[in-house]
Structures are given as C-alpha cells and as structure tokens.
Amino acid sequence: MLPSRVKQLLPEDTRTSNELWYSRPADRWLEALPIGNGRLGGMVFGGVDQERIALSESTAWSGSFSSNDINPGALEHLSTIRKLLFDGRYVEARELCQKYLLVKASSFGTNLPLPELQLNFEGKKTYNGYRRSLNLDEAVARVTFDQAGVRFQREILASHPDSLIAIRLAANQSGKINFQLGFGRSILPVEVLPEGKDVLIMRGHAYERMHSNGHDGVAFQIRAKVLLDGGNIAALDRSLQIADANAATILVTIVTSFMGGDPGAGCDRIVTQASKRSYEELKRTHLADHQRLFRRMSLNLGSSGKEVVSQPTDVRRKALENGATDPELVALFFQYGRYLTIAGSRADSPLPLALQGIWNDGLASSMGWTNDFHLDMNTQQNYWAAEVCNLSECQTPLWGLIEGLRQSGRRTAQEMYGAPGWVCHTVTNAWQYTAPGGGLGWGLFVTGGIWIALQMWEHYVFTGDIEFLRVQAYPVFREAAEFFLAYMVPEPKHGWLVTGPSDSPENWYLAPDGQPCAESMGNTCDRVLVDALFSKCIESALVLGVDDELRRRLEEARSKLPPFQIGKHGQLQEWLEDFEDADPNHRHTSHLVGLYPENQISPRTTPALARAAEITIQRRMATPNWEQSEWGRANLVLYHARLLQGDLAYKYLVGLLAKAADDNLLTFSSGGVAGAEQDIFAVDGNTAGTAGIAEMLLQSQGGELHLLPALPATWPSGSIDGICARGGYQVDMEWRNGSLLSAVIRSQRSGRIPIRYGDRVLNLPVEAGRVVKLRRESFR
C-alpha cells in the first residue's frame, strides 16, 4: 500500500462534503443510517421518544456444514445431458438437469437480523431544531434536538478497535437524561435478563426453518452496559431504567459461537475492557482507526451551490430524481460506497460482505434469495471498489471465504464431476457450500468459483504482492485450472473446448421449438471466466517460475476456447448458438463480463465486439419493463465507462441514485423483480456504483494508465486524490473546463508505464517511491 498523500480534511469540510443529514427521524429501515465495525452493524433511526438501533452481526448465521448436498445421480448422468445439449434436445436435457444435477441444500442457512436495541425516553413529545446525520469522515451518527428548553445530543459509533457500538447521550442541562433500555421483538429464540444493575443481556440462537432445519445455527449473546455521569440506574425484568443522569454511555457488543467462539466470555471481555476507558477515549481511538482508511481519497466533482448543499440529503436525492444536477451529492455517494466498504469489511472480519453487507433488513433472509454470498455477480460487486478506491486490505475477508471454497470444492469436483481440483457454483454461505443451487436457470453456474477467485488477481496486480500470489492466490488458481482442464469437453462442430451443462446467470433462451431453457454448453460468460482463469494461471506460473508442464497444457487448452460471436441482431451472443432471449427485458447481462470486470472486450482493441456489447445493452434497455436492479444499474455505469462513453455512464449513475437508492442512499433491489415483494437493500449497488465513478476517472486494465477516460460533460471541473491503478500506482488529478489540468503519479515499483490521455500516450520512466508530475501540455 502506498503511503497516503491526501490532504487531511478539515472538520468544517466534512460537515457538507462527507455528511448525510436529515431534518426528521427515520420511520423506515431504508431511512435509517448505517454504522459498522467490519462484523457488527447497526441501523440508527434517530427517534426522539424512542431511539431504535437495528442490530446485525456478520456471523449470525443459521445452517451448518454439510457433506450430503451433492445429487447422487450427477456424475452418472453428466455425459447423457451433455450429449442431449449437443444434439439440440434442450428440453430433455433441462429435465435431466432438474432431476440429477440440482439439489436442495439440507441446511444452507442465512445471515439473520438481530433485534433492535431500543431506548425509550421520558418527556414531552413535541420538539424542534431536529437534525440527524452520519458523518462519513468520522463514521459517527448524530441526533440533536430541543425539547422543553433542553438541547439533547446523541452520538452513535461502531468501533473496530474496541469491537463494539458506543452510544453517548448528553444534554446541556444536568439531570435531564431519562430512558429505559431494552431490546425489540426478535424472530429468533431468545431470553433477556439483567446482570447486576447496569448490564442487559440477550442470549439466543440463529435458528430458522426457511433455509435451514430449525435447529442448526450459531448461538449468540448481545450485551449492553450503561455507564452513567450522575443519576440512577435500576434493573427491571427485561430492561434497565436510567433516571436523572447528566450523561450516559452505552456499550453494546455481540459475539456468536461461529467457528468455536464463546458468546458469553467474548462479550464480557469486550465490554469489561472498554468500560475502563471514557467515551472520549473510545471515540478518539475509533476516529484514528477509521480515518486511516477513509482519508486516503478525496473527490471533487464541482460545486452544487450553497442553496442545494444546505438541503437535507433526502430532499437532494429526490431533486436529482426530478432532473436536478448535484455533483456534490454524486461525490458523497462515491465516498459512501467507500464508507460502507470500511464499515462492513476489515482485514480481520470473520466473513466478507454478504448480499446486504453486514447489515440485515430481515427481507432477503426471509425469502428465497437468502442473505448469503451470491457468486454470479453480487459478491464480486461488493469488492469492485476496494482496490481502485485505496481500500486494498478491506478485501482480505474474501481470501478466507475462497480458501474454504477450495477445500470443500474438491469434494464437489470429485463426486459430482469426477474431476480433480475444486469447483463452486452460484451461491455459497458461511459453511463453505459449493454444490449447485436448487433451481433451473441459476443453480448450475459452474464458473462462480472462478469469478470470485479473480478478485485475488486484482489484489495482486494492484499491489504487486508476489508473496500473496505465491502463497494464497496461485494455489487457488492452479487447482481451479486443473478442474476445468478435466471438466471441459470438445464441442462436436468445431472442436472448441466448452463448459457445461451450465447457466448464463440467470437468463433463459428459447430453444428451436420455442421452449424456454437455461442450461447449455459453452455459454459466453463461462468462456470469459475460463479464459481469464487460464491466463492468470499462466502468468502466475511464469512470474513464480513454477509448473511449466501445467502452463503448456493451459496454453493449449486456452487456444481451443470458443471465440466471441456476434449474433443476428448485431448483439454479443450469450450462448454458443444464436438463441433468442426468453426474457428480452432480463436484468442480467452476464456475457458482458468480458467488457467489465475483465478486459477481453474493448473499444480500442476489439471495436467490433465493443459495438456488439453496446448493441446488447441498447436492446436490453429498449425492451419494455426492463427488470431494474441496483446492481444492474451499477453495471450500466461500468459498461459505458469501459466503452469510453462518459455521458451515458453519468446518465445511468443518476438512474442508480434516483431510481435504486432510497433516502439513506442505500441501494435496493426493486419490489416485483426476482421474486421480491418490496424493495430489499443490497450493498452491491453502492459499492459497484462507487467503482463505476472511479472507472469514469481512471482506467488501468489495458497495461496503461488512462486518465479521465469517460469524463462526462456535467463534471467540467474537479479533482480526485488517492485513486489507485494496477501496477502499484496512485494518482492525483485535477481537470478544468473538461480537460486535464495536472496529474501526479506515484509508483511502488521502478520501470516504464504508458500513460494515456485522449489519443496521446506517453511512455514514461518511473522510480519506486518517486513522483511523476504531468500537465495537459505534457500530452501535446
């Protein structure tokens, strides 16, 4: 990691440029404000008569490890299904896939929402001067208001160093803090009891019957301790009563039995240690820890004007939806994605960001999706911003997940496909699940493991960490490559090596007889990911000086992969055959993975394919009732950034903010799509949206640094500091009147690097630790 050279933001800067704020309490979950410490999450509602903090914890999982989730008929029927698909007997193949390849997981589980911590206040209901905020630079949520002549102040933070949530209640007059502390309703089996007069404990189990068997899941404990300045405290049956205090600090932590944890001992240790320090000491430690990450980057996309900036965030978002221009809100959204990455995923987090990050609205976990790790797009999107946005270590929890998949995926590879190496399909969980899912059209995405493992390659090329490549990444790549060398088969018409039966997530095609089918041989998404795996494995072997024979086998196999094909509509073909879409308005465009995040399609190197990708997008968007999703809108930003179409990227970025983000700027999957009955929070729109903004301003996937590749007209002047590029570079840029003004480039390594601006390329020498300064005139 390069040392940060970003200017430290002044406190007065953060109030406007890095703050979400509101003039009323939150009524809904998607109005509440998120805090997190990498495993422990809270959604702060900011009520006056009742403060609600919806609690969550990344390891609060139902389910368990399982060794019987592979369909026993899979290996026996695999060759028959392949022959049916090659012979064009798609419906027969579909029926056999349903019967012999898919499986209903015995105890898959889900991350589950924990109950609310509730503070019920005494006093009058009327109030004025209300303000609720989340300062991204400080990672502190605040509530202030006047009531009966008293100014009340509330601060809530989630401390990573101290592993807890701290709540500070204060007033400008003595003896005015009065409240009852308790827990809200729980959907889980729990008991609540006081310990002494100042501690309230909830014990329970993460049991549920929709995704598990009702008796598998972690045990957990929630512990809340109250520290008073003056006043009195008393323990009631299921709550604590605080009266006449000058101020109060509440320390809240959660520990589960995940991987052998002791909930009671863990909670006691955390709270006991933190209780020895003042709230101000806890806050100082928290700020230093958070700002070490957050302040690595700054972004200025131009001024929105004082009148706009003075409005609450929800008002500004609605104005954007109605056609207003608000570059400072877009910059805030960018930093919000970075904030959520920091809050949800730290180097020591026990699990990576799930579908809902570390937060949980109880909706995804109570429907067919589950709040798990979706490997056909969403979990990857959760981390697309990490490297480029100077948060490399936030990817670390992924490595543990991937290593677990490698271990359990060996059994799936052998028992299901009779192949060496490892494989994982569409979804996984906290219990290293690698078998197919239970449904046609999505459950058989055989390259899901490759896609998530490619995040390890991104970490290597951004950081240049050869030891990471040697010890962690390459063993994963090598075993995955060994699986696909054994698993893939020649396609009879051309001899191409193809995958299958597999899904192109999560789309369906029309077979020649008009029947909708999904499983096929050699879909384009698989082809891109296998090509990427083989290429990364080959390059890794060369860098590390190992496995010459395997490298030669991979080079030969890579040469036999199917080519990209352009279909009869001018579109990039999604399947080996030029099928029509069963759902032309489908939300997924998985075959465009070659455009982003991979670099196999580019307007500069493969213009015909880039045009075919563009036509694919145009056809999707022109179809009535396009299935909106937050991650789909974020993809449109990234696709058009890679196509060097800044104004279109900006158009879809505004659509993401206006149509798929709620008042708290958290993104959601829309009700009515993919089985959702209402809007359901998913963090991938936030993180991938942030990645999209970064991609508009800097690209490095083609072996060169491309400055301002997709700058839209609506950002004529601005600056960005601390953005990262592949090769170990960190870049600061400023632009005016739509043109580059200056760039500062720092490198971890010495060598030469092509730097592109517009149509001009400079091949510049760089020295490790030294600075290269460029101006617009440098490219003339």
Side-chain angles (χ1 to χ4, degrees):
M1 177 60 60
L2 287 166
S4 176
R5 306 297 180 92
V6 180
K7 293 182 294 185
Q8 296 294 291
L9 298 173
L10 298 174
E12 55 265 34
D13 294 330
T14 68
R15 183 175 177 88
T16 55
S17 64
N18 284 315
E19 185 183 60
L20 291 75
W21 78 273
Y22 305 85
S23 59
R24 58 181 179 81
D27 295 321
R28 301 178 293 112
W29 198 94
L30 280 170
E31 294 175 331
L33 295 172
I35 56 171
N37 71 354
R39 67 168 188 92
L40 176 60
M43 296 295 294
V44 181
F45 283 73
V48 172
D49 56 337
Q50 182 188 63
E51 175 62 276
R52 302 162 55 196
I53 302 175
L55 298 174
S56 55
E57 207 273 351
S58 68
T59 65
W61 267 80
S62 61
S64 65
F65 293 100
S66 176
S67 59
N68 61 349
D69 285 332
I70 296 171
N71 192 316
L75 183 57
E76 178 185 354
H77 291 87
L78 184 61
S79 59
T80 300
I81 294 170
R82 285 171 168 169
K83 187 175 188 308
L84 288 172
L85 289 170
F86 283 140
D87 290 345
R89 296 161 66 182
Y90 302 107
V91 174
E92 292 175 67
R94 182 190 70 192
E95 292 171 351
L96 291 186
C97 286
Q98 174 80 68
K99 186 174 182 179
Y100 293 113
L101 298 186
L102 301 180
V103 64
K104 173 66 174 175
S106 57
S107 196
F108 186 88
T110 181
N111 183 260
L112 287 162
L114 298 174
E116 294 178 351
L117 182 75
Q118 295 180 348
L119 312 181
N120 293 296
F121 297 96
E122 299 177 5
K124 298 179 180 179
K125 301 296 183 182
T126 59
Y127 60 92
N128 54 48
Y130 181 90
R131 194 177 195 275
R132 174 172 62 98
S133 66
L134 174 64
N135 187 302
L136 305 183
D137 178 64
E138 297 179 341
V140 175
R142 292 184 174 88
V143 179
T144 57
F145 57 88
D146 297 315
Q147 191 174 54
V150 181
R151 184 68 169 168
F152 289 93
Q153 301 171 344
R154 199 180 302 160
E155 286 190 347
I156 307 99
L157 59 86
S159 170
H160 172 253
D162 288 293
S163 198
L164 50 72
I165 290 174
I167 306 162
R168 179 67 171 176
L169 308 173
N172 65 352
Q173 295 181 25
S174 300
K176 297 298 183 180
I177 304 299
N178 299 277
F179 64 95
Q180 188 174 60
L181 181 149
F183 294 106
R185 185 185 65 86
S186 176
I187 63 171
L188 306 176
V190 297
E191 62 171 347
V192 178
L193 65 158
E195 182 178 274
K197 66 177 183 178
D198 58 357
V199 173
L200 191 66
I201 293 173
M202 173 180 279
R203 298 180 184 136
H205 289 83
Y207 294 160
E208 51 81 34
R209 291 190 175 276
M210 176 172 284
H211 309 292
S212 182
N213 54 19
H215 54 77
D216 284 339
V218 301
F220 66 86
Q221 183 178 120
I222 307 173
R223 180 174 294 233
K225 181 178 178 66
V226 180
L227 306 172
L228 290 186
D229 175 5
N232 303 292
I233 185 168
L236 307 180
D237 183 31
R238 294 170 59 87
S239 63
L240 302 179
Q241 184 72 50
I242 292 85
D244 303 326
N246 302 323
T249 299
I250 306 167
L251 306 178
V252 184
T253 196
I254 305 169
V255 176
T256 80
S257 62
F258 183 68
M259 298 299 182
D262 184 328
C267 282
D268 182 63
R269 175 183 54 81
I270 291 167
V271 171
T272 298
Q273 289 180 357
S275 299
K276 299 174 183 178
R277 301 162 62 206
S278 70
Y279 171 75
E280 288 303 322
E281 290 175 312
L282 295 172
K283 181 179 175 182
R284 280 196 298 271
T285 303
H286 159 75
L287 289 175
D289 174 75
H290 172 75
Q291 290 173 346
R292 177 181 59 84
L293 297 172
F294 186 80
R295 289 187 173 184
R296 289 175 182 171
M297 286 196 73
S298 65
L299 177 64
N300 171 16
L301 297 175
S303 173
S304 300
K306 290 183 179 180
E307 183 177 349
V308 171
V309 173
S310 66
Q311 297 174 334
T313 304
D314 53 336
V315 174
R316 293 170 65 185
R317 194 203 66 80
K318 287 180 174 66
L320 193 73
E321 185 175 358
N322 293 327
T325 300
D326 191 344
E328 291 191 59
L329 183 65
V330 175
L332 178 68
F333 184 75
F334 171 85
Q335 291 286 31
Y336 197 35
R338 296 184 67 247
Y339 166 85
L340 293 168
T341 301
I342 297 167
S345 185
R346 291 298 195 95
D348 60 355
S349 293
L351 289 170
L353 293 160
L355 182 67
Q356 299 193 304
I358 62 167
W359 302 274
N360 195 318
D361 61 11
L363 297 177
S365 60
S366 60
M367 63 170 293
W369 297 354
T370 81
N371 184 9
D372 61 2
F373 307 103
H374 287 40
L375 303 183
D376 59 351
M377 181 72 72
N378 312 89
T379 305
Q380 291 85 346
Q381 287 187 311
N382 289 351
Y383 288 95
W384 281 350
E387 299 292 342
V388 68
C389 292
N390 218 327
L391 297 173
S392 182
E393 61 268 60
C394 290
Q395 281 218 88
T396 304
L398 269 182
W399 316 152
L401 178 77
I402 293 167
E403 179 59 27
L405 298 181
R406 179 166 74 116
Q407 300 295 329
S408 62
R410 291 170 180 157
R411 183 177 59 83
T412 301
Q414 184 61 46
E415 294 183 13
M416 184 169 180
Y417 298 110
W422 72 276
V423 66
C424 182
H425 296 80
T426 316
V427 293
T428 190
N429 56 14
W431 317 112
Q432 302 174 1
Y433 184 88
T434 56
L440 291 169
W442 64 270
L444 272 173
F445 178 46
V446 76
T447 52
I450 296 179
W451 198 350
I452 195 63
L454 289 176
Q455 289 296 125
M456 304 183 88
W457 181 257
E458 290 298 288
H459 181 69
Y460 163 67
V461 294
F462 270 90
T463 65
D465 187 344
I466 291 181
E467 191 63 15
F468 170 80
L469 180 67
R470 184 192 315 279
V471 175
Q472 293 183 263
Y474 182 62
V476 170
F477 298 155
R478 181 182 59 217
E479 286 193 47
E482 288 170 347
F483 169 80
F484 281 95
L485 284 174
Y487 161 81
M488 296 174 76
V489 295
E491 178 267 345
K493 290 182 183 177
H494 308 90
W496 296 331
L497 275 181
V498 296
T499 58
S502 182
D503 294 319
S504 180
E506 299 172 11
N507 207 359
W508 292 61
Y509 60 88
L510 292 178
D513 62 358
Q515 291 291 312
C517 296
E519 288 64 39
S520 70
M521 300 297 294
N523 70 66
T524 299
C525 183
D526 279 0
R527 175 250 180 263
V528 171
L529 294 173
V530 171
D531 185 297
L533 172 67
F534 287 2
S535 297
K536 274 55 169 178
C537 204
I538 290 166
E539 187 171 344
S540 298
L542 289 170
V543 169
L544 299 174
V546 297
D547 292 337
D548 289 343
E549 175 58 29
L550 175 63
R551 177 172 54 81
R552 285 189 286 271
R553 290 174 61 205
L554 291 171
E555 288 170 344
E556 181 181 2
R558 184 177 60 178
S559 70
K560 296 178 181 179
L561 294 177
F564 287 106
Q565 299 181 84
I566 298 175
K568 54 181 171 289
H569 303 294
Q571 88 285 7
L572 187 72
Q573 264 183 225
E574 187 163 359
W575 293 279
L576 208 59
E577 305 296 332
D578 192 8
F579 296 125
E580 294 287 353
D581 291 307
D583 299 305
N585 64 333
H586 201 273
R587 61 197 177 278
H588 270 270
T589 50
S590 304
H591 52 313
L592 298 188
V593 66
L595 177 63
Y596 186 93
E598 284 300 304
N599 185 40
Q600 298 176 31
I601 298 174
S602 162
R604 186 165 292 110
T605 59
T606 60
L609 292 176
R611 177 58 184 155
E614 187 178 357
I615 290 173
T616 298
I617 299 168
Q618 291 171 351
R619 285 173 53 81
R620 278 283 201 277
M621 301 309 296
T623 304
N625 302 314
W626 173 65
E627 291 183 327
Q628 165 178 279
S629 66
E630 79 300 337
W631 56 263
R633 287 188 177 276
N635 276 348
L636 293 172
V637 179
L638 288 153
Y639 292 156
H640 285 291
R642 283 287 175 94
L643 291 169
L644 310 180
Q645 298 170 337
D647 289 336
L648 280 173
Y650 174 76
K651 170 188 172 182
Y652 289 114
L653 176 62
V654 170
L656 173 62
L657 258 164
K659 304 293 185 183
D662 212 307
D663 285 346
N664 60 6
L665 301 189
L666 291 181
T667 56
F668 58 82
S669 187
S670 300
V673 175
E677 295 182 359
Q678 58 186 299
D679 296 345
I680 299 179
F681 163 61
V683 76
D684 47 26
N686 289 104
T687 50
T690 290
I693 295 170
E695 202 74 14
M696 295 165 73
L697 300 176
L698 179 70
Q699 294 182 21
S700 61
Q701 70 279 1
E704 62 183 22
L705 303 190
H706 191 171
L707 311 182
L708 304 179
L711 184 69
T714 194
W715 302 338
S717 298
S719 63
I720 187 167
D721 289 347
I723 191 170
C724 295
R726 295 167 182 85
Y729 300 98
Q730 186 169 299
V731 181
D732 303 342
M733 284 184 290
E734 186 175 0
W735 62 95
R736 297 273 177 82
N737 300 319
S739 296
L740 179 72
L741 184 64
S742 63
V744 176
I745 300 167
R746 300 177 183 87
S747 176
Q748 290 181 348
R749 289 171 278 175
S750 299
R752 301 188 71 87
I753 178 68
I755 302 175
R756 176 183 293 274
Y757 175 63
D759 294 329
R760 297 294 305 276
V761 179
L762 301 178
N763 198 341
L764 294 182
V766 293
E767 294 182 36
R770 301 293 296 273
V771 172
V772 173
K773 296 182 178 181
L774 302 172
R775 298 191 65 82
R776 180 170 46 217
E777 294 78 14
S778 306
F779 293 91
R780 290 178 179 168

